[in-house]
Amino acid sequence: KAPYMTASKDGNIGGLLLAAGGSSRLGQPKQLLEFEGKTLLRRATETLISSVCDPIVVVLGADVSESKAEIAGLPVAICFNENWQSGMSLSIRAGLQRLLTIEPDLAAVMITLCDQPHVTADHVDLFANEFRRFGASIITAEYGGTLGVPALFSRAMFVEISQLDGDKGARDLIRNSKNLKRIILDEAAFDIDTPEDTKPRRQMLFI
């Protein structure tokens, strides 16, 4: 595990899209909702493809067949988390493991979600550029008075990521980091929790 601590910050940054949840509160998989003519899953996948991230892994779970069809033909690897109901941590762990089988020398991983449709490839690249400049262990978005995803985790954090458990995802890693850089990203504050959130009226209120 020691090599995790010594990788250059000039190596590849993998993209990890978490899209496995069943969205029990919504009553349907959130990732298959349409937003401005595309499903949230397709939009978020294309965002990572348009960024500097390479390789890219999309973690699927609920409604996996329909989700796979939504991103068929795109240059990404799909990771199926059969235990998706156990929480986000397992998806992060499985996705990172898949990324490392594709590119063992990753310098960092950029974690994104489906339900933040205003996060763009330019935003993702901003995280990558800040990592190249400063080499922080974690670079996290700050919005609405909180710190969270999208967030970039350097290779120095891979061991801790591989030990995540439960539904908190990487929040505790962000909260406890002593080498953290924040990027103010108000666009990440808008997320999709109900079908109404996809309507133009809500978008206008956000703007």
Side-chain angles (χ1 to χ4, degrees):
K1 294 182 178 177
Y4 282 166
M5 310 299 293
T6 58
S8 166
K9 66 176 185 280
D10 297 322
N12 282 25
I13 296 172
L16 178 54
L17 175 60
L18 303 179
S23 307
S24 56
R25 287 181 300 171
L26 188 63
Q28 64 185 103
K30 185 184 296 187
Q31 54 269 28
L32 296 174
L33 284 177
E34 283 205 2
F35 182 87
E36 295 181 355
K38 292 181 182 178
T39 63
L40 293 173
L41 174 59
R42 179 87 184 195
R43 174 178 291 272
T45 302
E46 290 179 348
T47 292
L48 277 180
I49 292 170
S50 298
S51 76
V52 298
C53 292
D54 181 46
I56 295 165
V57 166
V58 180
V59 183
L60 300 179
D63 275 6
V64 64
S65 296
E66 197 171 343
S67 294
K68 284 176 70 174
E70 223 11 74
I71 56 175
L74 296 182
V76 299
I78 292 174
C79 175
F80 175 54
N81 176 16
E82 60 184 13
N83 298 311
W84 59 267
Q85 291 172 306
S86 298
M88 193 179 293
S89 292
L90 287 180
S91 288
I92 295 174
R93 285 164 47 187
L96 177 59
Q97 185 176 13
R98 181 65 184 277
L99 279 169
L100 288 170
T101 64
I102 301 169
E103 177 49 77
D105 295 323
L106 278 185
V109 59
M110 180 74 192
I111 299 179
T112 63
L113 304 174
C114 279
D115 65 351
Q116 295 173 314
H118 292 298
V119 172
T120 67
D122 285 343
H123 293 140
V124 173
D125 288 349
L126 178 60
F127 283 75
N129 292 338
E130 291 297 284
F131 174 66
R132 303 291 192 208
R133 289 177 62 198
F134 299 105
S137 295
I138 300 175
I139 301 177
T140 181
E142 179 176 3
Y143 50 91
T146 189
L147 301 177
V149 176
L152 180 147
F153 296 83
S154 77
R155 192 176 182 89
M157 300 300 300
F158 285 5
V159 171
E160 291 179 69
I161 290 175
S162 70
Q163 297 168 347
L164 289 173
D165 192 25
D167 198 32
K168 289 185 178 180
R171 281 180 291 180
D172 283 347
L173 297 184
I174 293 172
R175 189 178 298 119
N176 298 327
S177 175
K178 295 179 174 60
N179 185 15
L180 180 81
K181 182 168 179 57
R182 307 175 184 203
I183 291 179
I184 296 174
L185 190 63
D186 292 335
E187 291 85 350
F190 178 81
D191 61 6
I192 305 294
D193 285 318
T194 73
E196 286 300 309
D197 292 341
T198 65
K199 300 296 195 302
R201 182 178 64 85
R202 281 296 300 268
Q203 296 165 39
M204 289 171 62
L205 285 173
F206 172 76
I207 294 168

